[in-house]
Amino acid sequence: MGEFRPVPDVLAHLFGGWRVLRSVRDLASGAEGEFTGTTVFGPLDDGGLLHLEVGTFVWLGVPRPAERTLRFLPGPTPGTADVRFADGRPFHDLDLTTGHWRTDHSCVADLYRGEFEVHDEDRWRTTWRVGGPAKNQLLVTDYTRERTRQNRPSPTGRRPAAGSSGPDGPRP
C-alpha cells in the first residue's frame, strides 16, 4: 500500500487518542463483523503506555460492547516496544523504525501473524491473520489520530478489568 512512514520512537508516536475501525472475517464460514470505537494510549506509572480500546463489536448483525487493554512497554532497543496483555503476559514485539513490522504470537494451537504499517503521522494499520484448529480469521484495523483536546489521554486513565473480552475474542 505504498510507502511507509518511519517511526523513530513507537511509544511517542502512539501516545494519544485514535479512532478505530476493525473488520473481522471468519475465513472458514465467510461470516463478517466490525468493531468501531476508540483507543487511548496513555502513560503508565512505571514507563510505557497503557492501551485502552473501547467500542462496539457487531457480529452477525448483533452489536455488543467490547474493550481491550494492552501494555506497550519500552522494547529492548531504543524506539521499540514490548507489547503485553493487561495481565503482563507477552503478546508481541513492535519495531516501527522503518514504518513496517511483522511479528507472530502463538495462542495455544493458533498462530497470529501480525503486520503493522504506518502510513503517515495520523494513520496506521494492523493486519492479523489467525490460523489453527480453533480459528481461521483475518482482522484488519485502521487507526486515525484524534486531534481534539478532549480526546487526549488522562495520565490516570480508566483501567478495564484484565479479563475482559474484546473484538479479537477470548484472551489466549
Side-chain angles (χ1 to χ4, degrees):
M1 191 173 171
E3 295 294 314
F4 302 116
R5 179 183 186 269
V7 174
D9 183 342
V10 68
L11 298 178
H13 177 75
L14 294 176
F15 182 84
W18 299 82
R19 287 188 316 267
V20 179
L21 176 61
R22 176 177 301 120
S23 66
V24 179
R25 188 166 30 132
D26 184 307
L27 300 174
S29 71
E32 295 185 358
E34 182 176 89
F35 172 85
T36 56
T38 59
T39 292
V40 174
F41 289 89
L44 285 166
D45 294 337
D46 55 354
L49 298 173
L50 184 68
H51 162 280
L52 298 172
E53 182 177 272
V54 178
T56 302
F57 183 53
V58 179
W59 185 252
L60 301 174
V62 178
R64 64 179 182 197
E67 57 185 44
R68 174 170 71 163
T69 302
L70 298 171
R71 301 169 65 83
F72 282 63
L73 305 176
T77 58
T80 66
D82 174 25
V83 182
R84 299 196 165 248
F85 292 104
D87 63 7
R89 288 174 299 126
F91 186 13
H92 64 83
D93 55 349
L94 184 58
D95 179 350
L96 293 176
T97 54
T98 65
H100 184 252
W101 184 248
R102 289 188 177 144
T103 191
D104 291 339
H105 169 75
S106 294
C107 178
V108 188
D110 296 324
L111 177 64
Y112 286 66
R113 292 220 124 127
E115 185 171 4
F116 296 73
E117 304 169 345
V118 179
H119 298 288
D120 59 41
E121 181 180 323
D122 297 326
R123 294 179 309 119
W124 61 291
R125 169 180 278 184
T126 65
T127 302
W128 286 97
R129 287 174 176 80
V130 187
K135 294 181 181 175
N136 187 10
Q137 299 175 332
L138 177 65
L139 300 90
V140 179
T141 307
D142 288 305
Y143 296 85
T144 305
R145 187 179 303 278
E146 291 279 346
R147 288 291 185 179
T148 61
R149 183 176 176 84
Q150 65 196 14
N151 289 326
R152 299 304 291 177
S154 162
T156 56
R158 185 176 66 80
R159 297 174 190 243
S164 61
S165 67
D168 298 330
R171 301 297 176 265

